[in-house]
Amino acid sequence: MIFVIAEHKDNKLKSITSELLVFAQRAGRDFGQPVSAVVLGENTTSLAEELKSKKIDRVVTIDDPQLAEYNPDAYVEALKSLCEKEPPFLVLIGHTTQGMDFAPRLSVALRRPLIAGCVEYEKQGDRLILTRQIFNAKMNMKTAVRGEPPYFATASPGAFPGDEVEAGGSAEIVPFSVSLTAPGRRKLIERVEAPKGKADLSSAPIIVSGGRGLKEKENFSLIFELAEAIGGSVGASRPVVDAEWLPREYQIGSSGQTVSPKLYIAIGISGAIQHLVGMQTSRCIVAINKDVEAPIFKVAHYGIVDDLFKVVPALTRIFKDLRQA
Amino acid sequence: MKIVSCIKPVPDPASRLAINETKTWIKDQDLTFVASEADNYAIEEALRLKEKHGGEVVVISMGGEESARVLRSGLAMGADRAIHLRDPKFKGADEFAAADALATAIAKDGGADLVLAGVQSDDLGTGMTGTMIAEFLGSAHATVVVGVEANPESKSLRVRRELEGGINETIELPMPAVLTIQFGINQPRYASLKGIMAAKKKEMKVWSAADLGLSDEAAGKAGAMYEVKEIFVPERKSKVEIIGGSPEDAAAALVEKLKKEAKVL
């Protein structure tokens, strides 16, 4: 059995859940394992119905008032109990803030392997080989899990094509009851959305984004000048925001804004996985960077491998001329 | 408050990495090692909490000479003492085996009110070790922390976590706890000359696997949950078209392509 731990928010499945289902459907076929979606929460009926429409074998619901809000203690206790009662072959979890908040605890609680941030899997004989990214996505690592199942894996967002999930199943909904021993130790006080204000990049058609390659705050004016000449908005990578060159609302990436403009120009951005997650669905991606091995070139359509301090002013001049023409 | 801050030595980000002969790791003999970047934010946060509430900051690391080096820089920043887990048997540890050894050492040292670790390392980068330490210690935890307020009297913490899509949440949890610290939570200080001199007189405990009571099956590669099959540079998925020439020519050619090929202008 392969378990997919469904991630959801506001009674809607998150996109990572479809990606995990694609992973599970493929691996299930290769390893001859049925697939179950597991949904934890309170009043999970509508989520279970939605999962049931996919081509999987079962939907396991774990319904409990203590699971109404995500908390790692309850998640670990409930999933540990499920995995002990019906030991699965593989448990797939999103490599998301939530998934990575409980998956490592679950792995230690059961003393079983967790391979985090997987982007691919393969079958070698009967062995499960999982590939993940290391050194900020500059290299990949193939790992073989050791010992007996269950094995745990988290999948990187975007690694599996969620729109290829196969529908048309007749999965049975199976409630699994747990008696959670104690309320979780974590208490939610409040949840706030980051201010978006004038740097709302989600609907910008063109974004010119700068990174650490600009070396210092003053040089960021190059990005603003190009953005103005091209008629686009300005974005930034995390190190730029951490160094306080720009406020947080300019940040693009998994912990900032997710964008998909028609044109994204990444300047002096190496392309850490967290940044790539936030912009890789842009229609056309241009990367300007000195380091030809920078991961940004893996998602870019056009690249210029040169000194940005020479290329960017040249680009700005061309766009200014075009405007005047 | 006793705060333990975990530090992982990683190759200096400026180094050029090459894959070793067995393709199982990088060639690390000639590299310079520094503290993984996120760990610097964790040490800084530990020092600030100590400045506010008193107590001590202990830095801990597992590895060879490279660990001694990052521990010394932690001491120079202001940590009170260090614990160095040093034993050839620790070599080849994965996150699970590392978390097991670190948690065992923290417990042997008398436990801690707070354990801090970087949100993820610059090498494996999976962000597992801190959370695994919490499970080994049986303490509460919070990941991706961007703000910490401690209340030593009530043994509780109020922390701000960063979730996807620019959402932040504030949660309360009891101490002892393990927190994984996100980049940018503070501005890590540099070690002063005075700090570097003072660091030389500070205590550095060196513990082996036997000192921790870890069996040969639990330490390092033997205690790892997975086996590294191969390290490789991934092939590019999208074929990027590199535009050559002088900066002026490349810029002009790019604009042409954006207009005529990609049709995005």
Side-chain angles (χ1 to χ4, degrees):
Chain A
M1 181 70 74
I2 297 176
F3 285 148
V4 167
I5 311 303
E7 192 167 327
H8 53 90
K9 193 188 161 208
D10 303 330
N11 216 30
K12 282 197 198 92
L13 294 174
K14 296 191 82 173
S15 55
I16 186 73
T17 305
S18 305
E19 297 172 22
L20 294 172
L21 286 168
V22 170
F23 188 168
Q25 285 175 335
R26 291 179 183 175
R29 212 164 295 141
D30 285 351
F31 288 89
Q33 294 280 349
V35 174
S36 284
V38 180
V39 54
L40 297 88
E42 193 186 23
N43 306 324
T44 52
T45 321
S46 65
L47 293 168
E49 287 297 329
E50 195 181 337
L51 288 162
K52 199 182 153 206
S53 69
K54 312 299 175 202
K55 199 175 172 189
I56 54 176
D57 301 274
R58 277 197 324 178
V59 180
V60 178
T61 57
I62 310 181
D63 235 80
D64 192 291
Q66 284 190 47
L67 295 165
E69 270 292 340
Y70 163 76
N71 94 73
D73 293 329
Y75 261 58
V76 170
E77 196 180 350
L79 289 170
K80 183 173 179 245
S81 155
L82 176 67
C83 291
E84 280 168 346
K85 184 126 187 277
E86 303 180 38
F89 167 66
L90 177 64
V91 181
L92 298 177
I93 301 166
H95 194 76
T96 56
T97 312
Q98 181 173 308
M100 281 309 289
D101 196 59
F102 70 86
R105 291 200 83 127
L106 188 56
S107 140
V108 172
L110 287 161
R111 300 290 195 272
R112 305 300 318 128
L114 164 63
I115 309 293
C118 296
V119 292
E120 245 172 275
Y121 81 92
E122 64 195 90
K123 189 176 175 224
Q124 281 184 10
D126 284 334
R127 289 189 93 180
L128 173 66
I129 309 289
L130 291 157
T131 302
R132 71 185 193 194
Q133 295 175 316
I134 55 171
F135 290 108
N136 289 316
K138 282 196 173 183
M139 291 184 192
N140 279 7
M141 177 192 254
K142 277 189 190 183
T143 61
V145 288
R146 296 171 67 180
E148 295 298 308
Y151 309 120
F152 294 90
T154 66
S156 275
F160 294 87
D163 52 0
E164 288 177 22
V165 62
E166 289 174 55
S170 49
E172 170 193 15
I173 296 178
V174 185
F176 180 79
S177 63
V178 283
S179 46
L180 298 171
T181 52
R185 288 169 284 195
R186 195 182 276 192
K187 199 171 110 199
L188 179 68
I189 307 294
E190 64 165 352
R191 201 166 279 161
V192 285
E193 303 243 351
K196 280 190 178 158
K198 54 183 174 185
D200 182 8
L201 298 167
S202 56
S203 57
I206 297 177
I207 296 175
V208 182
S209 209
R212 184 137 63 173
L214 282 146
K215 295 201 173 88
E216 50 190 293
K217 185 177 181 176
E218 287 64 38
N219 297 335
F220 219 84
S221 58
L222 288 174
I223 302 296
F224 280 95
E225 283 161 22
L226 176 58
E228 200 192 333
I230 202 171
S233 308
V234 170
S237 67
R238 164 153 223 136
V240 163
V241 173
D242 284 349
E244 296 176 359
W245 297 354
L246 280 181
R248 187 68 65 189
E249 63 253 37
Y250 286 86
Q251 187 183 317
I252 290 167
S254 56
S255 53
Q257 301 191 54
T258 301
V259 298
S260 44
K262 63 176 182 178
L263 175 60
Y264 187 90
I265 308 183
I267 298 168
I269 291 177
S270 68
I273 184 71
Q274 293 82 353
H275 187 79
L276 300 186
V277 165
M279 47 64 75
Q280 63 191 359
T281 52
S282 304
R283 202 165 99 208
C284 177
I285 298 168
V286 174
I288 301 171
N289 201 304
K290 268 200 302 205
D291 178 10
V292 70
E293 285 176 35
I296 191 78
F297 287 116
K298 278 187 290 186
V299 300
H301 301 92
Y302 299 104
I304 298 180
V305 183
D306 207 331
D307 183 358
L308 72 90
F309 294 102
K310 291 182 185 144
V311 178
V312 176
L315 261 181
T316 306
R317 273 196 302 277
I318 295 170
F319 282 110
K320 275 188 181 160
D321 293 348
L322 278 176
R323 284 221 149 169
Q324 278 162 10
Chain B
M1 258 193 354
K2 178 178 170 189
I3 307 168
V4 175
S5 197
C6 306
I7 320 179
K8 184 175 195 182
V10 296
D12 187 311
S15 14
R16 258 194 118 65
L17 303 177
I19 293 166
N20 70 10
E21 285 72 23
T22 55
K23 292 191 180 162
T24 49
W25 195 233
I26 50 161
K27 288 181 184 166
D28 51 11
Q29 297 86 349
D30 303 318
L31 293 177
T32 308
F33 283 81
V34 295
S36 185
E37 193 181 346
D39 295 345
N40 286 323
Y41 293 103
I43 302 168
E44 177 63 37
E45 205 56 30
L47 295 172
R48 289 183 187 196
L49 286 165
K50 181 200 154 179
E51 281 156 9
K52 204 164 175 189
H53 302 288
E56 65 165 349
V57 172
V58 182
V59 281
I60 186 167
S61 183
M62 187 176 88
E65 187 47 41
E66 70 285 359
S67 279
R69 184 193 158 110
V70 297
L71 286 171
R72 277 193 294 270
S73 58
L75 292 173
M77 279 171 80
D80 299 282
R81 57 190 179 87
I83 300 172
H84 184 180
L85 306 186
R86 182 169 200 164
D87 191 326
K89 285 181 181 158
F90 289 134
K91 226 178 152 46
D94 66 348
E95 296 90 336
F96 183 95
D100 191 3
L102 289 163
T104 307
I106 292 165
K108 180 182 163 74
D109 193 59
D113 298 301
L114 201 52
V115 176
L116 304 185
V119 69
Q120 63 180 51
S121 64
D122 293 331
D123 53 4
L124 292 176
T126 47
M128 289 157 67
T129 310
T131 312
M132 286 183 155
I133 290 173
E135 184 66 24
F136 276 113
L137 290 173
S139 54
H141 86 284
T143 47
V144 208
V145 169
V146 291
V148 185
E149 274 173 55
N151 189 339
E153 289 72 41
S154 64
K155 287 249 163 209
S156 70
L157 293 166
R158 194 170 263 231
V159 307
R160 204 148 44 83
R161 302 178 62 215
E162 201 172 71
L163 310 180
E164 280 95 352
I167 297 168
N168 276 1
E169 71 171 20
T170 304
I171 54 169
E172 225 165 57
L173 66 163
M175 285 196 273
V178 179
L179 307 181
T180 73
I181 303 294
Q182 173 68 300
F183 293 85
I185 186 177
N186 52 38
Q187 287 282 1
R189 69 194 67 186
Y190 290 102
S192 63
L193 185 61
K194 202 175 137 201
I196 294 167
M197 297 309 288
K200 291 180 180 165
K201 296 194 190 96
K202 290 178 179 171
E203 179 194 30
M204 187 166 335
K205 280 181 189 164
V206 180
W207 282 340
S208 66
D211 290 331
L212 297 181
L214 284 179
S215 68
D216 285 358
E217 292 78 47
K221 198 175 177 180
M225 285 285 176
Y226 60 83
E227 186 188 328
V228 178
K229 299 296 280 182
E230 191 190 350
I231 306 272
F232 61 100
V233 176
E235 272 179 49
R236 297 196 168 109
K237 266 191 189 156
S238 81
K239 270 188 232 135
V240 61
E241 184 179 342
I242 299 289
I243 302 169
S246 71
E248 289 75 20
D249 291 350
L254 172 66
V255 175
E256 279 305 294
K257 283 179 188 294
L258 292 179
K259 274 203 280 192
K260 295 192 175 132
E261 258 177 38
K263 297 189 169 66
V264 288
L265 290 177

